[in-house]
Amino acid sequence: MNCPRCQTRLENKTIVERNGQIEIETCPSCEGLWFDKGELNLLENISEPVLFEWRNLCTEYEQLTPLNCPSCGDHPMMKKAEHPRDENVVIDYCEHCEGTWLDGGELEAIQKESWPIAIFNLLKKLS
Ligand SMILES: [Zn+2]
Ligand SMILES: [Zn+2]
């Protein structure tokens, strides 16, 4: 699977949380994160602080560039979903496989305002 933003090959990363561990894909170049269906919700119990060391958010221009789903075979265009309380955070969401792409920095931005709740509300809005 390649990064939808910069086409770098994604690397597996294991996140340890209270109830086990989650495998996600990360881009070593732009620090984006790919979550398969349901994985984002599992992050609620996260206990590994390394995930939160992200650099600044992409520019607005980059945020608004349409991305293709890296997971689906025919690479459909992903939907943009603005974070309900922070318009600088634009999440890319695939309607087909229900995967979610977070650009580098977005997770940190979400985390700053009680992000598990924020993400939960966002996903509720999307479905
Ligand atoms: Zn990338
Ligand atoms: Zn997809």
Side-chain angles (χ1 to χ4, degrees):
M1 200 151 93
N2 292 333
C3 175
R5 194 172 289 287
C6 66
Q7 308 308 321
T8 306
R9 204 181 152 80
L10 297 179
E11 292 177 352
N12 281 322
K13 188 184 173 99
T14 304
I15 299 168
V16 181
E17 52 101 28
R18 241 181 282 153
N19 302 317
Q21 52 187 43
I22 322 165
E23 292 276 339
I24 61 165
E25 316 261 344
T26 71
C27 175
S29 171
C30 70
E31 303 183 358
L33 299 162
W34 175 256
F35 297 89
D36 286 325
K37 181 183 179 181
E39 284 180 341
L40 204 51
N41 304 26
L42 295 173
L43 280 179
E44 203 164 339
N45 299 317
I46 187 129
S47 57
E48 194 179 329
V50 66
L51 190 69
F52 304 132
E53 291 164 17
W54 304 111
R55 58 180 183 205
N56 293 333
L57 288 168
C58 297
T59 64
E60 191 176 340
Y61 172 77
E62 284 174 323
Q63 290 268 17
L64 296 175
T65 306
L67 299 177
N68 297 102
C69 177
S71 182
C72 290
D74 52 350
H75 300 291
M77 212 70 101
M78 290 194 278
K79 268 194 146 177
K80 300 275 177 196
E82 221 172 71
H83 190 281
R85 276 179 294 158
D86 185 350
E87 63 190 21
N88 294 317
V89 179
V90 181
I91 290 170
D92 295 275
Y93 175 82
C94 176
E95 284 184 301
H96 300 268
C97 66
E98 299 182 37
T100 310
W101 177 257
L102 295 187
D103 291 312
E106 286 181 338
L107 194 55
E108 185 185 51
I110 293 167
Q111 186 214 10
K112 278 182 186 146
E113 45 165 312
S114 166
W115 59 278
I117 297 163
I119 286 183
F120 178 75
N121 289 338
L122 179 72
L123 292 177
K124 235 169 51 182
K125 215 173 108 185
L126 286 169
S127 58

